Amino acid sequence: MKIWDPLHECMPREDLEQLQLERLQFTLNRVYKNVMHYRKKFNELGIIPEDFQSLADLKKLPFTTKEDLGIDYPYGFFAVPLREVVRIHSSSGISTKPIVVGYTRNDVRMWSNLVARIMTAAGVTRDDLVQIAFRYGLFTGAFGLHYGAETIGASVIPTSTGNTERQIMIMQDYKTTVLVCTPSYALILADRIKELGIDPKSLSLKTGLFGGEPWSEAMRSTIESGLCPTATDNYGLSEVIGPGVAGECLCKDGMHIFEDAFIPEIIDPATGEALPPGSTGELVLTSLTKEAFPMIRYRTRDITSLDYGSCKCGRTMVRMKKTQGRTDDMIIVKGVNVYPSQVDEILFSIQQEHAPYQMTLTRKGALDILEIRIEVTSKIFSLVMKSQRAFVEQVKKRVKSVIGIDIDVSLVEPGSLRRQEGNIVKVVDQRQE
Ligand SMILES: [Zn+2]
């Protein structure tokens, strides 16, 4: 397995931490001098960049949120004059105005190299033909992957999005070996290929990088059997750089975060407290090399956990789990953070199907009560009464062991759960009502 930048990707942790500290000091100086928002925050706290002598000091700084980035639209967070900016992208913001991000020439070079790392990790080489079916535009996905593939020396086919049959024709005729798109679009392509009676094995595809949205292991196996023999995940967000923050190697056991460029932290989204290694919580990222748009302790709102254990591929960079949802969906029950995605996963692991369910929260005295109501699907209905009871018990037990709380579970009539525009309302919180 080839590694694009072994010097950095396989760096011993001690050396890595030294490099991180040097780069953090550089970044803090840059934002203190050039970004009003950060200078104000530093001044409020009575600290200057020189006070930062260890990586642990990072925790002294406040978080940066999406709300903050809306301040001084459009260029308030730029740390260089516009004449040094060679590229502008944007991402959706809190208000109607987007968040505008910029890159210097060095930033584009660094970004391209980070994406070259995730592509190499996914098995891409200069001999590959890379079809990029991300929408080209202000969104960072297409250009990020495009520049990364060119950096490797692969041949880029920038098909952009849409026109599924044309995508398939190009895939067949140009002999595309690498596919880049969202996982949900990969499923659409797999379906269409099936409908057209094309054998996926007749395509030249060998690997794919699917990102831009969270996806499950179940989706991975569908994509691998119906379209592309190897499907890898990668992670990034425009506010931090775009794609290239993290990517899976061929072990497919978590995405390596490039820690020479970003410091990851996991916090409790409710309290902001740092969580011990291995815990599931909100990912916070600090950029270390960016010139135009440095980012200090950015709250990504993505839920994941970090694994500092060694990986068979030889990279020393920490691995983040597939994202497990957004903090916006989180509920707190008996002081424990619960995400609908955890319940999804538990139900799927027991039943091998996505059973429709709803979480109802009530309060008895000071006690929170969480009830999961599951609509009886044909699969559950086919179980005899005794097995239905066993199923309910199994859900309770699994929730207790995975999430750590006692819950009630009940089976309800198909179609009886409250729906909004056809979708079941996942969480009904009656504690305030
Ligand atoms: Zn690895």
Side-chain angles (χ1 to χ4, degrees), residues 1 247-254 256 311-315 317 319:
M1 286 197 272
E248 275 182 343
C249 62
L250 292 172
C251 302
K252 293 189 272 192
D253 187 21
H256 290 284
C311 182
K312 285 192 207 78
C313 72
R315 289 174 183 82
M317 306 261 129
R319 283 167 292 156

Side-chain angles (χ1 to χ4, degrees), residues 161-277:
T161 48
N163 203 336
T164 302
E165 275 167 36
R166 182 171 145 269
Q167 299 272 6
I168 295 170
M169 181 202 68
I170 288 172
M171 225 178 270
Q172 288 181 303
D173 295 351
Y174 299 11
K175 306 208 180 327
T176 303
T177 57
V178 178
L179 178 63
V180 173
C181 62
T182 59
S184 48
Y185 192 59
L187 289 180
I188 290 172
L189 284 166
D191 277 349
R192 196 75 196 106
I193 278 170
K194 199 171 172 191
E195 281 165 19
L196 293 169
I198 299 167
D199 176 5
K201 290 197 189 70
S202 71
L203 301 169
S204 308
L205 287 179
K206 64 168 202 198
T207 189
L209 289 99
F210 304 106
E213 63 193 20
W215 52 303
S216 64
E217 288 300 329
M219 275 168 89
R220 191 199 309 265
S221 45
T222 310
I223 294 170
E224 290 188 338
S225 60
L227 180 68
C228 185
T230 301
T232 66
D233 194 3
N234 65 89
Y235 176 83
L237 62 173
S238 302
E239 296 89 330
V240 173
I241 200 166
V245 173
E248 275 182 343
C249 62
L250 292 172
C251 302
K252 293 189 272 192
D253 187 21
M255 299 177 271
H256 290 284
I257 301 181
F258 300 121
E259 293 173 273
D260 55 320
F262 310 99
I263 297 180
E265 300 171 75
I266 296 288
I267 61 160
D268 180 332
T271 64
E273 290 297 314
L275 292 175

